[in-house]
């Protein structure tokens, strides 16, 4: 089965706090890609990062960092020093190498950052 | 570079009425996807086009949904007749061919059409 689970439905933090959004995936493919997207209130999905299954190196981009752990099938996303503009729904997604390049999304985590 | 453009942004219709959504992908993108996003859920793929060919429509409810991508550019998604359960956001996304995916291409999403069936 191909599946993405984002167990946290909603998270509320105060500005400047760090917050981690969890993502656990399932796939039998040995080659696959993982993504994080941000969906602000305006509705569009904004691409944040892509990781392939052979690259477990963690990545940092400004206040964003991602922790890919193949052993636990997790791809967690941390926002450091959160800001009000980070308030959005965040989706983790999986694209297995088979199955017609279909991207499978998690249900999303709604992040509220309060001033 | 212009992004993926969708119209209308919002549509409210009565059940049993037809409705159509339009998508203009990013210039040069061969692959076009339609997704449906129900409230509180992640997007789910409805159909994928490679140029003008629908290569994956296994998730499209064919009894009432249809899609076309004439000339391999713009696409329309139609529902006829609409049902209450069709209320959702319909997202269009485009990318270079997935075969080029290994060359670090990515899909770009439009803002979506929010459909409300009453």
């Amino acid at each position: 089965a191909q599946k993405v689970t984002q167990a946290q439905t909603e998270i509320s933090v105060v500005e400047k706090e760090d917050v981690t959004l969890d993502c656990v995936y399932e796939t039998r493919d040995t080659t696959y890609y993982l993504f994080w997207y941000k969906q602000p209130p305006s509705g569009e999905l904004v691409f944040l990062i892509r990781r392939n299954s052979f690259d477990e190196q963690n990545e940092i981009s400004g206040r964003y960092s991602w922790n890919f752990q193949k052993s636990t099938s997790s791809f967690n996303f941390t926002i450091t020093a959160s800001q009000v503009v980070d308030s959005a729904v965040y989706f983790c997604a999986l694209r297995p190498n088979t199955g017609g390049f279909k991207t499978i999304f998690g249900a999303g985590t709604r992040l509220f950052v309060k001033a | 570079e212009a992004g993926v453009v969708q119209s209308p942004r919002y549509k409210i219709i009565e059940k049993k009425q037809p409705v159509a959504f339009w998508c203009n992908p990013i210039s040069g993108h061969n692959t076009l996807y339609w997704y449906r996003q129900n409230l509180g859920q992640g997007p789910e793929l409805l159909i994928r086009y490679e140029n003008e060919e629908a290569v994956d429509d296994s998730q499209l409810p064919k009894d009432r949904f249809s899609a076309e991508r004439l000339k391999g550019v713009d696409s329309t998604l139609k529902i006829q007749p609409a049902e209450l359960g069709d209320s959702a956001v319909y997202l269009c996304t485009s990318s270079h061919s997935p075969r080029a995916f290994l060359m670090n291409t990515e899909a770009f999403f439009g803002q979506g059409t929010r459909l409300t069936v009453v």
Side-chain angles (χ1 to χ4, degrees):
Chain A
Q2 323 268 25
K3 187 180 175 183
V4 175
T5 302
Q6 294 179 254
Q8 305 149 308
T9 306
E10 289 186 3
I11 300 176
S12 184
V13 298
V14 177
E15 211 171 16
K16 298 184 184 176
E17 284 185 12
D18 298 347
V19 59
T20 295
L21 309 181
D22 298 333
C23 173
V24 174
Y25 63 92
E26 294 177 33
T27 180
R28 292 182 185 169
D29 285 38
T30 54
T31 303
Y32 52 88
Y33 300 85
L34 296 163
F35 304 78
W36 276 95
Y37 287 89
K38 175 181 180 180
Q39 188 174 42
S42 51
E44 74 276 19
L45 279 161
V46 178
F47 167 77
L48 295 178
I49 190 173
R50 173 184 53 241
R51 258 290 173 264
N52 76 57
S53 51
F54 297 108
D55 182 2
E56 288 194 71
Q57 190 172 19
N58 292 328
E59 181 156 337
I60 298 174
S61 176
R63 296 184 297 107
Y64 295 170
S65 61
W66 290 270
N67 185 348
F68 178 26
Q69 298 278 346
K70 214 168 173 179
S71 59
T72 55
S73 297
S74 65
F75 186 44
N76 296 338
F77 172 33
T78 297
I79 302 175
T80 304
S82 59
Q83 300 176 1
V84 173
V85 294
D86 295 328
S87 297
V89 180
Y90 291 85
F91 290 96
C92 179
L94 164 71
R95 184 180 297 181
N97 207 35
T98 58
F101 303 100
K102 181 186 300 185
T103 302
I104 300 148
F105 287 82
T109 297
R110 183 176 295 276
L111 174 65
F112 294 99
V113 181
K114 296 179 282 190
Chain B
E1 178 183 82
V4 176
V5 178
Q6 289 187 247
S7 68
R9 285 294 315 276
Y10 304 93
K11 188 75 177 179
I12 301 175
I13 61 170
E14 293 183 345
K15 63 181 180 181
K16 299 185 182 179
Q17 294 301 306
V19 65
F21 316 125
W22 175 80
C23 172
N24 179 229
I26 291 175
S27 177
H29 280 188
N30 308 101
T31 307
L32 183 146
Y33 309 75
W34 281 101
Y35 284 85
R36 176 169 59 189
Q37 185 177 14
N38 292 313
L39 186 65
Q41 298 181 21
E44 295 177 316
L45 180 68
L46 291 174
I47 189 168
R48 174 169 71 92
Y49 280 94
E50 290 285 345
N51 297 305
E52 65 274 8
E53 182 185 359
V55 295
D56 182 359
D57 62 355
S58 57
Q59 306 278 63
L60 192 72
K62 298 182 185 60
D63 56 337
R64 297 181 301 106
F65 285 66
S66 64
E68 61 182 12
R69 191 184 184 199
L70 300 176
K71 300 182 182 178
V73 182
D74 294 2
S75 177
T76 54
L77 177 69
K78 298 177 182 177
I79 309 175
Q80 182 170 11
E83 296 178 354
L84 295 176
D86 297 330
S87 295
V89 175
Y90 291 83
L91 292 162
C92 177
T93 176
S94 72
S95 71
H96 293 290
S97 167
R99 292 171 190 78
F101 188 70
L102 295 174
M103 296 163 55
N104 283 334
T105 60
E106 189 38 61
F108 297 85
F109 284 80
Q111 289 187 302
T113 296
R114 182 177 296 279
L115 172 68
T116 302
V117 183
V118 298

